Amino acid sequence: MVLKIFFPQCCNTADSGLLVGHWIPGHNSAVVLAVIHYPFIPGQVKKYLSELQSQTQVDLTVLGSWSMPKEGKEGMDSFLKDLSTIFPQKCWLQLSREIGKRGFICQVVQNNGKLLQDREQKNGDEGSEGDKIILIHYDQRKVMLSQLHPVQDVGQKSDIEHSELRLVFQTVAHSQPLFFLDKYDDGPLKLTHWQSEGREASIIAELLKQASVPVCIFLTWLLSLWHWFCSFRILHLYPVLFISSKLSTCVQSGYRAVHFKTVFSPKKAATHMEFMRKANIFVSFLLDIALGLLLISWLYRENRISKLADTLVPVADRVAKEFFLYHIHLWSSYIHLMSPFIERILWYVGLSACLGLTFALSVLSDIVALLTFHIYCFYVYGARLYCLKIYGLSSLWRLFRGKKWNVLRQRVDSCSYDLDQNTADTTLFPLQLFIGTLLFTILLFLLPTTALYYLVFTLLRLVVVLFQGVIHLSVDFINSFPLFAIGLRICRPYRLAEGVKFKVLCQEPGTPLHLMMEINPLKCSSVLQCYRTPTYSCYPKDSWAALCKKLFVGELIYPWKQKTDKTD
Amino acid sequence: MGADSGPGAPAAVPWRKVLYERQPFPDNYVDRRFLEELRRNIRVRQYRYWAVVRETGLIAQQVSCVAVFLTVWSYMEQGDLVPSAVLWVCLSCALLGYGLYEVLGGSCVRERTRLVDLQSATIFLAFTFGFSPVLKTLTESVSTDTVHAMSAVMLLAHLVSFPYAQPSLPGSLSLNAALFGSVCLASRLPGALHTFTMLSCALLVFALWPCLLHRMREKAEWSFPWAAVLVCLAGVRGLESLWPKGALLLSLALLTLTLLCPLLLVHLQRHKDNIHGPWDEAEIREDLSRFLN
């Protein structure tokens, strides 16, 4: 049996004292959390430990003794043996370190008094070759802050046995109150742990924490106002609903409202995933605003808005003049009507970028959609005409060959003429046949023209759709990218752990094996996969083959349909 | 072959050619009556030369119909024929033919009343007249060679798929092909009235004439050869006025079709060797390994 002892690095140079920690149930290992120094009163130690137990739900016990003899304090050994009677354990660890040597000496005293030692040379008939002790050193602060992936929720799967590593991480994370006592506290106990040199605190962080609660409450109240406004009956009429579902600005604003609800809720995040989600949304939002302000500062400098307005009018005019004459007239009159206002409109619309870059992109997408509405109209005309023509041609082609479409059987049958005079099948003879042939000829010869118009309008529409798709994809990307998680992964990689790796520190005979435990950070791809904010992703819903088939037949294509339910 | 030597056939039970009873022979056993029921050439007809020639007249006259149509088109394209005149001629021919049709088929019960006929004729005429400007400009963007090639292919298809066996029913493909070809040709004419005239002419020649011909064959057998000869002569004569060599070719083709092909058919009948009959299973006794090398 191998006994594993997890020893914090901060206690490597601690003075002699008692080891406080937790035995991992089910595995033969122990986690050392702190060292309580001499002098102490055993009753107060027990009282403190039971207080902490009720606070942290971690079963803290005295594991054993730690001795690092300095000058003038040699006579501790006998003292240590006595202590094992005061704090009854099934195993009492005796770790000691000599100055100058790297390895520790470890002795384990079992309940029945049997002594286990890790010695390289053993007598033949001791029979304890399987009993080894491994000391694993770990960085206490990093393990405390780290989250082991894959993340398991506390509520579910509580009956499944956790792995040893997960239990170690959980123990250290849950025993935070143990680390609140530092060397400046005037208490009866003196502890050594990672924070014993002085607790980290910053006034700004504390002030922010205090201030955030009323700010959150205020913002939540504002959000509820917004929701109340959105719940007006008039806004639920069908035309308004339809338009607002098509405009990406409304979609994006609705989406942001949901985000804000998550971020500004005054409740503290209970689980790790909730916390990460909140943090991700918040950081993304800040970045969004920053980019939007950057855009504004670039756009409004050097009078760019008026330059844009000046070029927009003739361009729109020229574009409109290249199409059907009736639409030309409509559009050019519309543009000329609007031209004095365009600069103003652009100026105010551009200010919407202060709500975030995603907003500006959504507004751009909507403007493009509105400006190219005539292209959409022409595309629909051309596509419908082409579709009708293809349909007519295919059915008349069947007539040409003398076959009919059997609706009942959903198949093509040949037209059979009955010779019997009484039941002559006169439906196809002779008039419909002639007219059918004439129509077929006409449709066939008009096919090149219609096909060409359809091709041109479809290509234009595809260009517009592509542009809108690029914008939507980038908005989607900004919305869903877990910036906070990636930042955490880069700056503090130990917070998101995938596992651990061990390094051999010291393997001397006569001392147990010393291993250094280092945290393996999560891979970036796993970070992205795990922490992506769920979005209304608008991936194309047709495969390439289906798209080509639709284009050929003349069906209308809407490649960027919004999915109505969230994808997680 | 497994005719006589069966594997140890007991002579007590005679072999019967049935499979629904269990017999002591294997399933593919046949006794000496192997292929006894084979029949040869049971459906071969004995053709008589002049009867076949008579029948071939139908094909010849159909080819000549096409030739007549092309002649009319050619004259109209050159401007020698005035469309209104042609239109009147077509109308009078149609009425004449209709009258003849009625006279010949007097005893039959009519399945279509005269009103329905009039209705369909009116609709067709109105439709074609309305669409003739569209039809006229249909092939403007197509080159002349393509148009001629398309029409040629279509008229050929018409000739090939014409239901010579039952000409009373105009086969869908043949009629449609003829109309398509005539639309292609008609769109090359100088005016909309020309187009309309051409289409009416096509309807007359390709749709209504075969019906009349069939009725004539049914009721007055003697008139059929005369009609066929008349049409052929008209075709040759018409083509001769345009292109003499073509006329020569056409007459040669017609003669070959009418006189030579039946001769060939009758002559080759004696080489017919069709086998029919219930088949018996054969067992291969040869050594076929020589085919493997």
Side-chain angles (χ1 to χ4, degrees), chain A residues 110-148:
Chain A
Q110 302 266 41
N111 218 357
N112 46 13
K114 194 166 112 182
L115 196 69
L116 282 165
Q117 287 190 27
D118 192 314
R119 284 189 197 278
E120 211 54 44
Q121 302 97 356
K122 283 197 177 26
N123 295 334
D125 50 313
E126 283 284 349
S128 54
E129 281 141 4
D131 295 332
K132 283 201 170 286
I133 305 180
I134 300 183
L135 269 166
I136 303 175
H137 298 260
Y138 67 97
D139 186 337
Q140 200 167 46
R141 178 170 165 265
K142 288 190 177 173
V143 172
M144 187 186 82
L145 288 174
S146 171
Q147 169 71 32
L148 198 60

Side-chain angles (χ1 to χ4, degrees), chain A residues 399-400 431 434 437 441-442 445, chain B residues 120 131 138 170 172 176 183 203:
Chain A
L399 186 70
F400 195 93
L431 184 65
F434 305 145
T437 311
T441 320
I442 293 176
F445 279 108
Chain B
S120 43
F131 265 88
L138 213 53
S172 205
N176 285 327
V183 165
L203 183 70

